[in-house]
Amino acid sequence: MNHSISRDAGTARTPAGDQLPGALPDALRAELSSFRRDLHMHPELGNQEFRTTAAIGERLERAGLRPRVLATGTGLICDIGTPAATADGRALAADPARPLLALRADIDALPIPDTKTVDYASTVPGRAHACGHDVHTTVVLGAGLVLADLARTGALPRPVRLIFQPAEEVLPGGAPDAIESGALEGVGRILAVHCDPRVDAGRIGLRVGAITSACDRLEVGLDGPGGHTARPHLTTDMVTAASRVALDVPALLSRRVDARAGLAVTWGRLASGHACNVIPQHAELSGTVRCLDLEAWRQAPDLVHAAIDEVATLHGAKSQITYVRGVPPVVNEPVTVQLLHSAMAARRGEGAIEDTEQSLGGEDFSWYLEHVPGAMARLGVHPPADTTRRDLHRGDFDVDEQAIKAGVELFTACALLDGDLPD
């Protein structure tokens, strides 16, 4: 299947950038940079984003909008261009003839230390915005502020919903809770971006179909009689058993699933024993299960259980398996990808768009796509002149803040061009 983006099959019109309103004013651009740096200095983990939620809400309220906090206590939803809200801040029923375009940002940070030497480094020990969620949040906030101004002049063709979602980094993600709180009520299409340090700032990467992978969590306990290392024949050699599970289970799975499904078990932890001359009675392994294909992901729990039991039994160990369902792949819908393409082309030209590959990373944006069509774009954050690549989930991760302007103008263009798409 060809997942590249058509350059001539435009679904939405692409007027020249100077004819399309919604550009980011310089004053707001500077404010957004400061806002992002403030978030970066005060990272909060999933479902603990109280300060972040308050900061977003306060800025939206200053713009005359009426955000509402999600039922989980962190994260917000805010509508633009809809009928007046009720007294409790909840939006009135959406007009089914004018479904909302949703823009989603994740707002949580990671439990790793910030190792950068910058004046906006994290002030919270062991916490960092090392995945760019501070940028995602700032982009959606900035787009919302620009679109609110357009809505006041009657220039917004379709209402927009801003979704600031907590706990993306906590399996199975905060998206199901946001959906339960009504985030998708009245929504006809949803968009998101994710920072990509492989793409230069000012550019985006697009792909039709799966752009991320499924990601589940796996915990394995092994038990058997231990004993003296001088008499391993009287024991279950637990260290060997755990080692064989670690090595042989991924190999077995590679022969039981179509290789194109990309089903992969990767271990992040193996622990057993306390002394050099004692064969332990217990061992533990933990890792992730990632998969490129949706159907293979659905089969993965049974396949992984069977492979672990088979290897453990061969070495005389009993296994206890905890398989935690995570997230399915993010599967980009073609019409929405074309909307993103048309929007970026209108703002910055075709040269600012590149095809991107499917990654093995997981993203809970996929849960929204189980309900409504949508797509995620890769937002370039790499400084074009910098030869250093600072990858995601590392303490030295940082971005070129030119990406904020590119992301805001991408989303505002999408909101303007979305009115040309069929409902």
Side-chain angles (χ1 to χ4, degrees), residues 220-224 238-239 241-243 269-273 280-285 318 320:
V220 180
L222 300 176
D223 289 287
M238 193 56 63
V239 173
S243 300
R269 176 177 171 271
L270 192 160
S272 185
Q281 297 178 335
H282 182 72
E284 296 177 352
L285 302 93
K318 295 181 180 180
Q320 302 85 40

Side-chain angles (χ1 to χ4, degrees), residues 93-100 157-159 186 188 418-419 421-423:
D95 180 354
R98 300 178 72 232
L100 293 95
R158 181 167 294 186
D418 185 51
L421 295 176
D423 292 330

Side-chain angles (χ1 to χ4, degrees), residues 250-257:
L252 276 175
L253 290 170
S254 72
R255 294 297 182 266
R256 295 179 178 178
V257 181

Side-chain angles (χ1 to χ4, degrees), residues 113-243:
D114 191 340
T115 61
K116 298 187 300 299
T117 304
V118 294
D119 59 6
Y120 52 87
S122 172
T123 60
V124 184
R127 305 285 185 267
H129 269 295
C131 200
H133 294 188
D134 54 334
V135 175
H136 306 165
T137 300
T138 303
V139 165
V140 172
L141 174 65
L145 297 175
V146 173
L147 293 173
D149 285 341
L150 292 176
R152 280 188 279 271
T153 66
L156 188 62
R158 181 167 294 186
V160 172
R161 173 167 295 159
L162 312 179
I163 302 173
F164 297 94
Q165 176 216 299
E168 190 276 331
E169 298 287 357
V170 182
L171 290 178
D177 288 333
I179 294 168
E180 182 68 22
S181 291
L184 292 181
E185 291 176 6
V187 169
R189 190 180 309 279
I190 188 166
L191 305 175
V193 293
H194 198 293
C195 290
D196 192 334
R198 302 165 301 173
V199 178
D200 285 348
R203 298 170 58 84
I204 61 169
L206 294 177
R207 177 182 175 87
V208 173
I211 193 171
T212 70
S213 301
C215 179
D216 300 334
R217 191 175 81 243
L218 181 62
E219 305 284 344
V220 180
L222 300 176
D223 289 287
H228 202 294
T229 56
R231 292 180 286 279
H233 59 289
L234 301 179
T235 73
T236 291
D237 189 344
M238 193 56 63
V239 173
T240 297
S243 300

Side-chain angles (χ1 to χ4, degrees), residues 70-126:
L70 298 178
T72 52
T74 62
L76 308 99
I77 297 172
C78 184
D79 291 350
I80 301 169
T82 56
T86 60
D88 65 358
R90 297 182 66 90
L92 294 175
D95 180 354
R98 300 178 72 232
L100 293 95
L101 173 69
L103 308 177
R104 174 270 198 173
D106 37 10
I107 66 175
D108 57 324
L110 284 162
I112 64 175
D114 191 340
T115 61
K116 298 187 300 299
T117 304
V118 294
D119 59 6
Y120 52 87
S122 172
T123 60
V124 184

Side-chain angles (χ1 to χ4, degrees), residues 176-390:
D177 288 333
I179 294 168
E180 182 68 22
S181 291
L184 292 181
E185 291 176 6
V187 169
R189 190 180 309 279
I190 188 166
L191 305 175
V193 293
H194 198 293
C195 290
D196 192 334
R198 302 165 301 173
V199 178
D200 285 348
R203 298 170 58 84
I204 61 169
L206 294 177
R207 177 182 175 87
V208 173
I211 193 171
T212 70
S213 301
C215 179
D216 300 334
R217 191 175 81 243
L218 181 62
E219 305 284 344
V220 180
L222 300 176
D223 289 287
H228 202 294
T229 56
R231 292 180 286 279
H233 59 289
L234 301 179
T235 73
T236 291
D237 189 344
M238 193 56 63
V239 173
T240 297
S243 300
R244 296 319 309 180
V245 168
L247 292 171
D248 294 347
V249 167
L252 276 175
L253 290 170
S254 72
R255 294 297 182 266
R256 295 179 178 178
V257 181
D258 189 327
R260 291 170 295 183
L263 180 63
V265 173
T266 305
W267 305 106
R269 176 177 171 271
L270 192 160
S272 185
H274 301 283
C276 67
N277 61 345
V278 178
I279 294 175
Q281 297 178 335
H282 182 72
E284 296 177 352
L285 302 93
S286 58
T288 59
V289 181
R290 298 180 187 271
C291 189
L292 301 173
D293 178 74
L294 185 59
E295 185 55 37
W297 176 70
R298 292 178 175 137
Q299 300 171 9
D302 290 341
L303 292 169
V304 171
H305 271 79
I308 292 171
D309 284 342
E310 184 174 327
V311 175
T313 299
L314 181 64
H315 292 277
K318 295 181 180 180
S319 61
Q320 302 85 40
I321 302 167
T322 301
Y323 194 108
V324 180
R325 267 308 202 190
V327 294
V330 172
V331 182
N332 284 347
E333 186 260 340
V335 173
T336 309
V337 173
Q338 191 59 56
L339 171 63
L340 288 161
H341 181 276
S342 298
M344 196 62 171
R347 290 294 191 204
R348 301 192 173 213
E350 296 281 349
I353 305 162
E354 59 186 68
D355 293 334
T356 193
E357 62 187 13
Q358 182 180 6
S359 83
L360 280 170
E363 235 289 353
D364 76 348
F365 182 68
S366 54
W367 292 121
Y368 298 104
L369 303 185
E370 298 275 304
H371 301 272
V372 297
M376 170 175 282
R378 304 237 182 252
L379 180 68
V381 297
H382 178 256
D386 190 352
T387 59
T388 303
R389 296 282 176 178
R390 296 177 176 85

